[in-house]
């Protein structure tokens, strides 16, 4: 864990640059190449690069040197190697962190039994996919046309986001994702499908997740309206084959994974079965290969040219150095519409902590609030606040040079132009003098000119970073997700926290189990605070009316 002095130095560096100008930094030097990094890759025979540009920030040579020194002082290199080689770095739960084992070539130091189990499970997943896609495994109504993935958190956000992102590559059944315990979600999804031609995936490591199993019961009842044996159309993604067997799901359709795979890091294994069914095993393997390529880069590239490290250090600079409490993730790709929600869990569940690994209070704030929407939709919603609001919100743009639809490349250029323009506008802004000239050209004079001009001032000097790549493909998506996973890891190491547990989700779940019987009237509503008691009685009264 870094000492308090490191964080004070970072805060002082930010304070000394509070009134500096990003644009002035560009006027003083050629920043673009100095404050960016590239990662070459080959995707489908095409040689490309991923470019991470953090030059539109107040990070200068002195700040970058300070951040890199902090990374070194935190023991990042040793911690990184410990993760890849299977050390129990999830110390509060006594677990290794091996999601990287699920993609690429596992480190030879890892237990051979774990590697063999992973490879056997992957082969069984591929066999199931081929059986579904060929029609060899089908429902009573014929070949499966739809898949319902029932899960929540990491068992939902990853595959749901990836399935949308890779929709142009879909060659299998349609996929639907059921997560919310609100029955409206289940009924809305099921209304679109034929139960006799629907395959159901129940994704719960323990096969006891409250929301998932409640939704699974709804779906099982729905299947029973049309088929004699609902279990014949069910697959369990779980490590408890016995509990899955109680539902009638045979072992050959149960796909488990070890406790060294955290939920929000699980799309690379059995939780990604819905994605494999959608795009096919070959493209799923390309997705894994992209992640493995980023793994290798993260593990071997020098810190100063390492994309995950630099992305993390820019985040630490803005969140812990400058004190900006939020981070906007702005993908200029409609297919990445669910990426901000995916990153909310990945980053906020991982690094939303208040104590260090040793249990001591953190000397600084932990992870920022992560949010966002795809461009250009966001431009007509919250960009007003980003450009002219009183708070500075660091922005992270993602954009591909080429779209997936060649016949509409001209429109894709319009999308790219909007992305580049927004980043430039955030940095350069518009001065009062420029706004006055515009109003004068429009025929305004005097006090009205001044009033209208002030409404058209853009302060500028607002930081952003940009991740650019050739095209969004399975390989590229794998690279992007692995990049963000490692970014979270680096930030966690600098903060000295455990990024791989999530005790903060437990308390509310425990209390819900206490309150539900009060709402049904099976248990007295005494012993709780007055506000909660009032709400319980109100809900019980209204529900019975």
């Amino acid at each position: 864990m870094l000492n308090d002095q490191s964080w004070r130095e970072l805060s002082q560096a930010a304070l000394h640059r509070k009134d500096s100008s990003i644009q002035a930094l560009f006027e003083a030097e050629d920043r673009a190449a100095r404050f960016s990094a590239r990662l070459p890759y080959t995707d489908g025979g095409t040689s490309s690069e991923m470019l991470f540009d953090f030059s539109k920030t107040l990070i200068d040579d002195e700040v970058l040197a300070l951040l890199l020194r902090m990374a070194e002082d935190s023991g990042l290199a040793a911690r990184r190697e410990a993760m890849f080689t299977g050390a129990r770095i999830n110390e509060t739960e006594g677990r290794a962190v091996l999601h990287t084992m699920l993609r690429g070539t596992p480190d030879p130091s890892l237990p051979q039994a774990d590697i063999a189990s992973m490879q056997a499970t992957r082969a069984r997943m591929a066999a199931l996919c081929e059986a579904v896609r060929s029609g060899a495994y089908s429902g009573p109504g014929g070949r499966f046309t739809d898949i319902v993935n029932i899960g929540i958190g990491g068992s939902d956000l990853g595959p749901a986001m990836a399935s949308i992102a890779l929709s142009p590559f879909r060659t299998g059944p349609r996929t639907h994702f059921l997560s919310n315990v609100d029955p409206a979600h289940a009924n809305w999804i099921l209304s679109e499908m034929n139960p006799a031609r629907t395959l159901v995936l129940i994704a719960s490591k323990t096969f006891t997740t409250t929301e998932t199993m409640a939704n699974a019961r709804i779906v099982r009842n729905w299947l029973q309206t049309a088929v004699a044996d609902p279990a014949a159309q069910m697959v369990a993604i779980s490590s408890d084959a016995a509990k899955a067997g109680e539902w009638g799901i045979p072992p050959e359709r149960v796909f488990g994974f070890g406790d060294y795979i955290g939920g929000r890091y699980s799309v690379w294994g059995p939780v990604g079965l819905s994605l494999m069914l959608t795009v096919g095993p070959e493209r799923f393997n390309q997705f894994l290969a992209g992640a493995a390529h980023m793994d290798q880069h993260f593990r071997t590239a020098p810190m100063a040219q390492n994309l995950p490290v630099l992305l993390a250090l820019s985040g630490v600079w803005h969140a812990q150095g400058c004190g900006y409490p939020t981070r906007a993730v702005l993908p200029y790709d409609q297919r990445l519409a669910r990426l901000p929600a995916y990153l909310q869990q990945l980053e906020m569940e991982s690094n939303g902590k208040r104590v260090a690994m040793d249990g001591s209070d953190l000397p600084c704030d932990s992870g920022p609030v992560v949010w966002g929407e795809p461009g250009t939709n966001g431009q007509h919603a919250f960009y007003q606040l980003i450009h002219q609001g009183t708070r500075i919100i660091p922005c992270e743009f993602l954009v591909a040079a080429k779209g997936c639809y060649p016949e509409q490349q001209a429109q894709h250029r319009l999308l790219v132009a909007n992305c580049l323009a927004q980043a430039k506008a955030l940095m350069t802004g518009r001065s009062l003098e420029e706004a006055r000239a515009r109003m004068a050209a429009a025929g305004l004079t005097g006090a009205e000119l001044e009033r209208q001009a002030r409404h058209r001032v853009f302060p500028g000097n607002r930081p952003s970073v940009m991740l650019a790549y050739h095209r969004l493909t399975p390989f590229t998506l794998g690279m992007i997700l692995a990049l963000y996973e490692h970014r979270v890891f680096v930030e966690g190491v600098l903060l000295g926290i455990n990024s791989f547990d999530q005790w903060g989700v437990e308390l509310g779940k425990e209390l819900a189990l206490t309150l539900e019987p009060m709402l049904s009237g099976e248990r007295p509503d005494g012993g709780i605070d007055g506000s909660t008691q009032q709400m319980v009685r109100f809900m019980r009264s209204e529900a019975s009316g």
Side-chain angles (χ1 to χ4, degrees), residues 382-389 421-423 425-426 457-460 462:
F382 52 80
Y383 277 43
Q384 169 64 44
L385 177 69
I386 291 175
H387 281 290
Q388 289 189 314
Q422 291 298 325
L426 284 167
V457 170
F458 289 69
R462 304 201 165 192

Side-chain angles (χ1 to χ4, degrees), residues 449-465:
L449 181 151
E450 187 69 15
R451 184 177 76 88
Q452 293 288 355
R454 287 183 61 81
H455 284 282
R456 289 160 174 79
V457 170
F458 289 69
N461 210 36
R462 304 201 165 192
S464 69
V465 300

Side-chain angles (χ1 to χ4, degrees), residues 75-98:
L76 173 60
R79 195 76 176 168
R80 176 182 61 191
E81 196 62 13
M83 177 179 70
F84 278 102
T85 55
R88 297 180 183 273
I89 64 171
N90 179 352
E91 295 179 16
T92 60
E93 297 179 296
R95 297 174 180 174
V97 176
L98 291 177

Side-chain angles (χ1 to χ4, degrees), residues 326-534:
T326 79
R327 173 189 299 152
V329 177
L330 309 170
Y332 271 69
D333 192 320
Q334 183 61 32
R335 293 186 292 128
L336 291 177
R338 293 289 290 165
L339 180 65
Y342 170 79
L343 294 180
Q344 280 177 346
Q345 186 197 24
L346 179 64
E347 299 198 32
M348 295 168 70
E349 190 167 274
S350 295
N351 289 347
K353 309 293 170 62
R354 57 178 295 275
V355 297
M357 198 80 79
D358 62 5
S360 62
D361 291 339
L362 291 180
C364 58
D365 287 332
S366 58
V369 175
V370 177
W371 59 283
E373 278 286 323
T376 54
N377 291 24
Q379 294 177 199
H380 295 268
F382 52 80
Y383 277 43
Q384 169 64 44
L385 177 69
I386 291 175
H387 281 290
Q388 289 189 314
T390 56
R391 298 178 181 87
I392 292 179
I393 301 170
C395 296
E396 294 182 359
F397 295 95
L398 295 93
V399 66
K402 288 184 67 175
C404 275
Y405 306 99
E407 68 278 9
Q408 289 147 7
Q409 189 61 22
Q411 187 156 327
H412 184 77
R413 283 197 298 272
L414 176 61
L415 177 75
V416 174
N418 271 273
C419 181
L420 302 184
Q422 291 298 325
K424 179 175 174 57
L426 284 167
M427 178 180 71
T428 59
R430 178 188 292 153
S431 68
L432 181 58
E433 290 70 23
E434 291 173 303
R436 282 172 176 152
R438 283 173 172 262
M439 292 301 95
L444 299 183
T445 60
E448 182 62 11
L449 181 151
E450 187 69 15
R451 184 177 76 88
Q452 293 288 355
R454 287 183 61 81
H455 284 282
R456 289 160 174 79
V457 170
F458 289 69
N461 210 36
R462 304 201 165 192
S464 69
V465 300
M466 188 171 295
L467 186 71
Y469 40 90
H470 178 67
R471 192 166 68 102
L472 186 61
T473 65
F475 189 95
T476 313
L477 181 65
M479 290 178 66
I480 292 170
L481 301 191
L483 167 69
Y484 273 96
E485 285 180 352
H486 296 319
R487 181 255 193 93
V488 168
F489 172 78
V490 173
E491 291 184 346
V493 171
L494 265 69
L495 289 165
I497 61 179
N498 184 0
S499 298
F500 301 104
D501 62 11
Q502 56 281 331
W503 300 111
V505 306
E506 298 299 324
L507 180 57
K509 291 162 63 174
E510 293 171 9
L511 292 175
L513 295 176
T514 301
L515 292 172
E516 195 278 331
M518 294 183 187
L519 288 164
S520 67
E522 297 173 18
R523 177 179 171 181
D525 59 20
I528 56 177
D529 65 272
S531 173
T532 305
Q533 185 182 65
Q534 174 177 261

